[in-house]
Amino acid sequence: MVTSLSELAQRKQSGRKLAVLTAYDYPTARLLDEAGVDLILVGDSLGMVVLGLPDTTGVTMADMLHHTRAVRRGVKRAPVIADLPFHSYDTPEEAVKNSRLLVEAGADAVKLEGGRSKIGQVRAIIAAGIPFVGHIGMLPQSVREEGGYKKKGRTEEGAAVLLDDARALDEAGACAVVLESIVPDVAARITAEVSMSTIGIGAGSRCDGQVLVTPDLLGSFPWFRPPFAKARADVAGETLRAVREWAVEVRGA
Ligand code: KIV
């Protein structure tokens, strides 16, 4: 189990995979920590799976601070990573200011979406002494510009862009990077080349770890689940059953 981000480099060397999950509230964060998850991400997937928004672009800094504080209260051991939401890092100055707020709310590291195109922001965050996690491949905050969620790295050119993004983040000093919806061979090439830990989601098994949106794992958000996420519980089904059973008992029918 990881207890500090400084262990990530050694963990990569050891070949033991990282198990990473998202949390947005105190009880889930506490359970994930007690279950021994390596890293906990307060993801801006919060927008869809907690706030009922259509995508992540409506998530605000106020939302992220509120939920990061709740997660922090529940976690004793696992490092907590918090997402910088859409338009909170348009300039390096904004990126540093908002990263500091997330750290004050309890984050051990911050994450933003983008590689080479955001390197000014990434360098500024790291220069401010804030541990940083990258996110490349399919970028949910760009879903509107891109017209949907698309797999990345299908062409040689696309793969070269991803490798260049990964190298830029690695050289800047990121401790880890999320590889989202990337062709598995390309994710494996990136993993072999960089010294930061790669954490895949929809990017095949040859990454240094895997991350899932916890409601996808628990079956607590039954209206949408990505094809690569296998639900290992049926929390939605159990909730419906318990509520209906209780209501019948209360009504005496
Ligand atoms: O917001 C999020 O939950 C994420 C994961 C999908 C990696 O960024």
Side-chain angles (χ1 to χ4, degrees), residues 228-253:
F228 55 79
K230 178 178 164 207
R232 291 173 188 261
D234 180 16
V235 168
E238 267 298 280
T239 303
L240 290 171
R241 185 201 56 74
V243 171
R244 286 176 180 145
E245 203 176 284
W246 174 80
V248 165
E249 197 178 293
V250 166
R251 291 172 188 142

Side-chain angles (χ1 to χ4, degrees), residues 120-187:
Q121 285 87 329
V122 172
R123 287 196 185 119
I125 291 168
I126 293 170
I130 299 170
F132 177 77
V133 175
H135 186 153
I136 61 172
M138 197 279 286
L139 304 179
Q141 292 175 10
S142 306
V143 62
R144 295 186 183 204
E145 278 159 69
E146 296 218 349
Y149 299 103
K150 295 180 183 147
K151 194 101 184 160
K152 298 290 171 163
R154 288 188 193 277
T155 61
E156 261 314 304
E157 200 188 356
V161 170
L162 289 169
L163 276 157
D164 181 59
D165 280 338
R167 284 186 199 117
L169 295 173
D170 203 34
E171 280 161 22
C175 59
V177 64
V178 169
L179 304 180
E180 179 158 5
S181 269
I182 290 180
V183 169
D185 280 349
V186 179

Side-chain angles (χ1 to χ4, degrees), residues 65-233:
L65 292 171
H66 182 71
H67 288 271
T68 300
R69 284 188 203 105
V71 166
R72 177 77 274 161
R73 285 179 210 117
V75 176
K76 290 205 176 89
R77 186 244 342 134
V80 172
I81 303 159
D83 267 344
L84 281 157
F86 192 46
H87 282 317
S88 69
Y89 51 93
D90 289 345
T91 64
E93 294 73 25
E94 262 190 288
V96 172
K97 184 188 84 184
N98 287 318
S99 297
R100 285 200 173 115
L101 291 174
L102 288 170
V103 169
E104 278 164 31
D108 297 302
V110 301
K111 170 165 90 58
L112 65 74
E113 295 183 8
R116 180 82 60 192
S117 68
K118 294 287 180 294
I119 210 67
Q121 285 87 329
V122 172
R123 287 196 185 119
I125 291 168
I126 293 170
I130 299 170
F132 177 77
V133 175
H135 186 153
I136 61 172
M138 197 279 286
L139 304 179
Q141 292 175 10
S142 306
V143 62
R144 295 186 183 204
E145 278 159 69
E146 296 218 349
Y149 299 103
K150 295 180 183 147
K151 194 101 184 160
K152 298 290 171 163
R154 288 188 193 277
T155 61
E156 261 314 304
E157 200 188 356
V161 170
L162 289 169
L163 276 157
D164 181 59
D165 280 338
R167 284 186 199 117
L169 295 173
D170 203 34
E171 280 161 22
C175 59
V177 64
V178 169
L179 304 180
E180 179 158 5
S181 269
I182 290 180
V183 169
D185 280 349
V186 179
R189 268 166 75 188
I190 292 171
T191 301
E193 256 207 40
V194 296
S195 50
M196 62 188 168
S197 301
T198 63
I199 305 168
I201 175 161
S205 59
R206 287 169 288 157
C207 300
D208 298 312
Q210 296 291 323
V211 58
L212 278 183
V213 169
T214 299
D216 294 339
L217 177 73
L218 300 184
S220 57
F221 192 84
W223 308 280
F224 173 77
R225 180 160 33 88
F228 55 79
K230 178 178 164 207
R232 291 173 188 261

